[in-house]
């Protein structure tokens, strides 16, 4: 009987505790800052406006490239031209053989150069990011020193043409941009901060070599950083024209950007010497401004298409929760 009375009292005590109002305490701060509905609308409008500002110049260039030379000469640059025309693209299509050849050279240089550059940068930066590497400070200083001082154009030209014998070679367009000290520092910092050391220690305990750790663990966890460096390298190779002007004389190896620079220089030369050009008939019928804008379009569209393929890797927090300490 006494046990039953004790159980009833315990149940009443529990029910009483459940009926009590919750104790007032400090409100837990949310993990994500909530701006509120009005602020969210304002932020969306602001970001949309900034996005339009980024896209508008490229759309404006496309419109100008489809404008006739007469409307550009009469009315200037307008968002809606008085006369549409494809003269600029027809002018560039007349030299389609050289354009396609230069496109092919640029694509090969960009693809091979990006793979070569990312591989070298990843290997170098991973080595100097590991505490087990005894000479990491020396190699880090060696890379950082090249960010501040360089040999100059003349020594680089002598090395490329006389020492390495890369004159009129496709490697003359790849090797000068293969290593970048700034990208090395970015990847080094990424490896240090984003790759948990306990994961690497566990792999070493299991007997994995450093190369296997790099290929099987580090690189899969480093896709955002590698994708960023790959995109930077791709842009660098695609937009490079200076190295071609130094080391390439063979028309079969002229990249796209260098070819477009030569076309623009020819148009500018004919503009500055309009009397001679009009006398010879070479300047008549050439869409000067439209051709320049068309060159910008055909050189920008391919590289702009690659952005969606890199965008999915621009995320963070891949290693969050990977190790619990």
């Amino acid at each position: 009987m006494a046990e039953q009375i004790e159980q009833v009292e315990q149940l009443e005590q529990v029910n009483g505790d459940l009926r009590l109002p919750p104790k007032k305490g400090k409100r837990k701060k949310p993990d994500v800052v909530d701006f509120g509905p009005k602020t969210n609308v304002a932020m969306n409008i602001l970001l949309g406006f900034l996005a339009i500002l980024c896209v508008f110049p490229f759309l404006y260039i496309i419109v100008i490239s489809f404008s006739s030379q007469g409307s550009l000469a009469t009315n200037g640059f307008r968002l809606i031209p008085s006369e549409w025309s494809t003269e600029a693209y027809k002018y560039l299509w007349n030299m389609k053989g050289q354009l396609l050849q230069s496109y092919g050279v640029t694509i090969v240089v960009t693809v091979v150069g990006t793979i070569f550059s990312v591989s070298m940068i990843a290997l170098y930066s991973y080595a100097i990011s590991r505490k087990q590497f005894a000479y990491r400070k020396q190699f880090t200083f060696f890379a950082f020193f090249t960010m501040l001082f360089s040999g100059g154009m003349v020594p680089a030209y002598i090395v490329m043409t006389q020492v390495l014998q890369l004159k009129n070679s496709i490697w003359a367009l790849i090797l000068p941009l293969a290593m970048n000290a700034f990208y090395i520092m970015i990847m080094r910092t990424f490896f240090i901060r984003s790759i948990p050391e306990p994961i690497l220690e566990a792999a070493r305990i299991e007997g994995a070599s450093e190369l296997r750790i790099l290929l099987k663990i580090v690189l899969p966890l480093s896709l955002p950083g590698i994708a960023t460096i790959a995109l930077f390298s791709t842009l660098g190779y695609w937009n490079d024209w200076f190295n071609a002007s130094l080391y390439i004389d063979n028309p079969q190896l002229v990249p796209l950007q260098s070819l477009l620079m030569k076309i623009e220089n020819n148009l500018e030369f004919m503009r500055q010497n309009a009397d001679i050009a009009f006398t010879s008939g070479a300047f008549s019928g050439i869409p000067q401004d439209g051709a320049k804008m068309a060159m910008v379009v055909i050189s920008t569209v391919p590289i702009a298409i690659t952005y969606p393929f890199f965008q999915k890797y621009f995320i963070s927090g891949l290693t969050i929760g990977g190790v619990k300490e």
Side-chain angles (χ1 to χ4, degrees):
M1 188 66 180
E3 294 179 356
Q4 294 177 354
I5 295 174
E6 185 178 356
Q7 291 178 358
V8 171
E9 292 178 352
Q10 291 178 355
L11 289 175
E12 291 179 352
Q13 183 178 0
V14 171
N15 292 332
D17 293 339
L18 292 175
R19 295 191 189 98
L20 291 176
K23 296 181 179 180
K24 294 183 179 181
K26 293 183 179 180
R27 185 180 179 183
K28 185 179 180 181
K29 294 182 179 179
D31 295 335
V32 181
V33 179
D34 188 6
F35 292 107
K38 295 183 179 179
T39 307
N40 285 334
V41 172
M43 292 297 294
N44 290 332
I45 295 175
L46 177 61
L47 293 177
F49 179 71
L50 293 177
I52 293 174
L53 290 180
C54 295
V55 177
F56 178 77
F58 185 67
L59 297 178
Y60 194 45
I61 290 174
I62 295 177
V63 171
I64 296 174
S65 67
F66 282 101
S67 303
S68 65
Q69 184 62 30
S71 64
L72 292 176
T74 304
N75 303 319
F77 296 158
R78 289 188 175 183
L79 185 60
I80 301 178
S82 58
E83 182 181 0
W84 297 89
S85 174
T86 58
E87 297 175 355
Y89 293 95
K90 290 179 180 179
Y91 172 74
L92 295 179
W93 182 253
N94 292 332
M95 54 186 76
K96 58 181 179 296
Q98 184 62 48
L99 273 177
L100 293 177
Q101 177 69 25
S102 298
Y103 251 119
V105 172
T106 301
I107 292 174
V108 171
V109 169
T110 301
V111 173
V112 176
T114 300
I115 296 174
F116 190 69
S117 177
V118 171
S119 301
M120 294 182 62
I121 291 173
L123 291 172
Y124 195 105
S125 56
Y126 175 72
I128 62 178
S129 67
R130 297 301 98 196
K131 297 180 180 180
Q132 295 79 12
F133 184 45
Y135 302 100
R136 65 184 185 278
K137 293 183 179 180
Q138 290 80 353
F139 278 88
T140 302
F141 175 78
F142 179 76
F144 178 74
F145 186 81
T146 59
M147 295 175 60
L148 305 178
F149 304 97
S150 64
M153 185 187 304
V154 175
Y157 183 83
I158 294 174
V159 170
M160 293 294 294
T161 57
Q162 299 183 11
V163 178
L164 300 179
Q165 299 294 325
L166 294 179
K167 182 75 172 180
N168 287 322
S169 172
I170 198 171
W171 288 104
L173 304 176
I174 296 176
L175 293 182
L177 301 177
M179 292 294 286
N180 188 298
F182 179 67
Y183 300 163
I184 290 174
M185 295 302 169
I186 292 178
M187 286 304 300
R188 170 185 172 273
T189 305
F190 186 89
F191 286 146
I192 293 175
R193 295 186 177 182
S194 300
I195 306 300
E197 187 64 28
I199 289 182
L200 306 184
E201 290 294 338
R204 294 190 185 99
I205 293 173
E206 293 294 331
S209 62
E210 289 295 335
L211 182 60
R212 188 173 183 180
I213 292 174
L214 174 64
L215 298 178
K216 298 294 184 179
I217 299 177
V218 176
L219 294 184
L221 293 176
S222 304
L223 286 181
I226 293 175
T228 303
I229 298 302
L231 180 60
F232 290 163
S233 299
T234 300
L235 292 175
Y237 279 110
W238 184 269
N239 295 325
D240 179 53
W241 61 270
F242 185 70
N243 288 318
S245 65
L246 289 178
Y247 308 122
I248 302 299
D249 295 329
N250 186 358
Q252 300 297 323
L253 296 177
V254 175
L256 179 64
Q257 303 297 339
S258 180
L259 177 65
L260 297 183
M261 285 292 296
K262 291 180 180 180
I263 296 174
E264 183 176 356
N265 291 335
N266 291 335
L267 292 175
E268 190 64 27
F269 175 79
M270 288 188 291
R271 181 195 294 272
Q272 295 177 358
N273 300 273
D275 296 336
I276 300 175
F278 277 118
T279 303
S280 62
F283 204 55
S284 59
I286 297 180
Q288 313 160 36
D289 299 320
K292 291 182 179 180
M293 299 304 172
M295 288 187 293
V296 174
V297 172
I298 65 175
S299 62
T300 306
V301 168
I303 198 65
I305 295 175
T306 62
Y307 273 92
F309 297 98
F310 288 95
Q311 185 179 6
K312 62 181 180 180
Y313 295 110
F314 294 153
I315 58 177
S316 60
L318 285 181
T319 59
I320 295 178
V323 176
K324 294 182 179 180
E325 297 179 324

